[in-house]
Amino acid sequence: MISYCTNVHPAEDVEGIVAQLERYALPVRERLGADKLGVGLWLSAPVARGLADDPQARKAFRAELDARGLSVYTLNAFPYGGFHDEVVKHAVYRPEWTQSERAAYTIDCVTVLSDLLAEDATYGSISTLPLAWREPWSEHDDHSAAVAFEQVVRAIRATGDRPIRLAVEPEPGCVLDTVADALGWLSGRVDPEYVGLCLDTCHLAVSFADPAETLKAIAESEVDIVKVQASAALHVEKPAEAREALAAFAEPRYLHQVRELSGGAVHKADDLPEAWRELPGEGPWRVHFHMPLHQAPAAPLATTTDVLRAVAAGLPGEPHIEVETYTWSVLPDAGDLVGGIAAELEWAQANLVSEGVSA
């Protein structure tokens, strides 16, 4: 089952979540002509806490999902809250994995997912942030984060027959910036039965990592791909010729890290406005801006769906697939959200399932 991630919707209470599922997810399912639609739920920390504390509330929420033909295989527990605030930027990385609030939130999500998990799911997955923004970070922080992961694993072990697995999502600019960073940190530090990798293909593309080599490195490690976030980055072959086109994507809500491949190296800027000052501008840029999978922007801009296709072609097993274009509210000329989500899911079905990803 391919799911779409509901962090595109701003609701941060159960009533609002149900209302937005009614407004968007139900018509998406109907437009696709599907009996069931996978939704990767995003629950803010207060919502997760309230549901975790109240079994009857979980039962009622499950009934609302079932009534609309919505199936849950995965949760996105990266944003803690306020994901649609006027300015998010670095706040999305807080609390860090060194802070008790992060483990508590994740454990609440484990409790909730155990009761929401679709009947045909072999496991449930929860994606989470790559420890923290890159600085400050110390060896003591490494130890504190590892202890926090073990707390979550203990909670997972107590949930029942079908396992819940935590999926750590490397992201440019964070402590675990790349897949290689994540493999190095996770290996030997966490229980691989319960903690693995969330492979976000936008983030992978931004890092200019080779998809085949990345999949080979993962296969040779003890870390599994638990979840794939099917996403595409913004690609600019000649940034000097695309300044005006890129200006429309330099919006104030989210952080849009930029990487340039030139001179045999990957050069880094932490946000799109800074890239013009800090990068050489001599090679292609990739921008951390989740782009709709089904449509290409006007030249001279492009997207990295080729990276997503390459990953899909080489995926081992059947990890959860979640389409995560959370940027609809800040996209230039975004258009109809129901139509956009449905079109993305149709694209994913046509382009990913045929490459070996299970529907």
Side-chain angles (χ1 to χ4, degrees):
M1 177 68 73
I2 296 174
S3 305
Y4 92 84
C5 186
T6 65
N7 66 0
V8 66
H9 307 311
E12 297 198 26
D13 58 67
V14 173
E15 294 77 11
I17 292 169
V18 171
Q20 291 188 335
L21 292 174
E22 175 74 20
R23 181 179 178 184
Y24 297 107
L26 178 57
V28 167
R29 180 179 67 76
E30 292 173 342
R31 188 169 297 197
L32 294 173
D35 294 331
K36 294 285 185 181
L37 176 69
V39 289
L41 289 178
W42 171 62
L43 307 173
S44 69
V47 170
R49 170 95 301 234
L51 289 170
D53 284 344
D54 189 343
Q56 290 305 310
R58 296 198 298 276
K59 184 177 180 180
F61 188 31
R62 173 64 182 264
E64 297 281 9
L65 294 164
D66 290 344
R68 292 165 177 80
L70 305 177
S71 299
V72 178
Y73 300 85
T74 186
L75 300 186
N76 187 326
F78 194 134
Y80 186 84
F83 193 55
H84 289 265
D85 288 350
E86 187 174 339
V87 178
V88 178
K89 298 291 183 182
H90 293 85
V92 75
Y93 308 112
R94 297 191 290 270
E96 303 173 352
W97 268 102
T98 57
Q99 297 172 273
S100 60
E101 294 89 345
R102 176 58 62 176
Y105 169 47
T106 309
I107 291 169
D108 287 340
C109 288
V110 168
T111 301
V112 174
L113 182 56
S114 295
D115 278 357
L116 299 185
L117 196 57
E119 293 298 331
D120 63 344
T122 56
Y123 71 97
S125 63
I126 300 175
S127 49
T128 187
L129 80 162
L131 305 182
W133 187 248
R134 66 179 179 271
E135 55 190 13
W137 193 260
S138 66
E139 290 185 13
H140 176 74
D141 294 328
D142 274 340
H143 175 74
S144 297
V147 169
F149 275 99
E150 182 54 36
Q151 291 174 339
V152 175
V153 168
R154 286 197 296 270
I156 291 173
R157 290 188 181 120
T159 57
D161 296 334
R162 290 182 297 174
I164 305 295
R165 304 191 71 189
L166 196 58
V168 178
E169 179 184 338
E171 177 174 321
C174 293
V175 176
L176 306 182
D177 183 297
T178 65
V179 169
D181 293 335
L183 295 179
W185 195 89
L186 293 169
S187 297
R189 193 177 259 118
V190 300
D191 186 338
E193 183 176 354
Y194 298 103
V195 184
L197 193 69
C198 175
L199 185 58
D200 184 305
T201 56
C202 170
H203 300 174
L204 181 69
V206 169
S207 72
F208 282 98
D210 179 85
E213 291 180 4
T214 298
L215 291 172
K216 182 174 183 290
I218 296 169
E220 292 173 350
S221 77
E222 63 180 38
V223 179
D224 292 336
I225 300 174
V226 172
K227 175 176 178 177
V228 174
Q229 282 179 330
S231 54
L234 189 61
H235 178 90
V236 188
E237 191 63 27
K238 297 180 179 180
E241 299 176 7
R243 189 166 191 138
E244 183 177 349
L246 279 172
F249 294 86
E251 56 81 32
R253 178 172 294 162
Y254 299 116
L255 198 64
H256 299 297
Q257 301 94 312
V258 184
R259 299 293 181 263
E260 176 181 325
L261 182 63
S262 62
V266 177
H267 305 269
K268 303 178 180 182
D270 284 342
D271 207 353
L272 185 52
E274 300 166 14
W276 298 108
R277 302 190 303 270
E278 298 177 0
L279 298 182
E282 299 169 354
W285 284 9
R286 287 183 178 171
V287 183
H288 177 218
F289 197 118
H290 285 220
M291 299 294 291
L293 302 181
H294 65 289
Q295 63 186 34
L301 306 181
T303 69
T304 60
T305 51
D306 58 325
V307 173
L308 173 53
R309 287 193 183 96
V311 168
L315 273 179
E318 296 183 355
H320 293 159
I321 307 296
E322 179 183 68
V323 173
E324 196 214 13
T325 305
Y326 60 83
T327 48
W328 285 99
S329 64
V330 294
L331 271 171
D333 304 319
D336 169 53
L337 185 54
V338 169
I341 293 170
E344 279 202 292
L345 292 172
E346 288 178 328
W347 186 97
Q349 183 74 20
N351 290 272
L352 306 184
V353 173
S354 60
E355 298 289 355
V357 177
S358 176

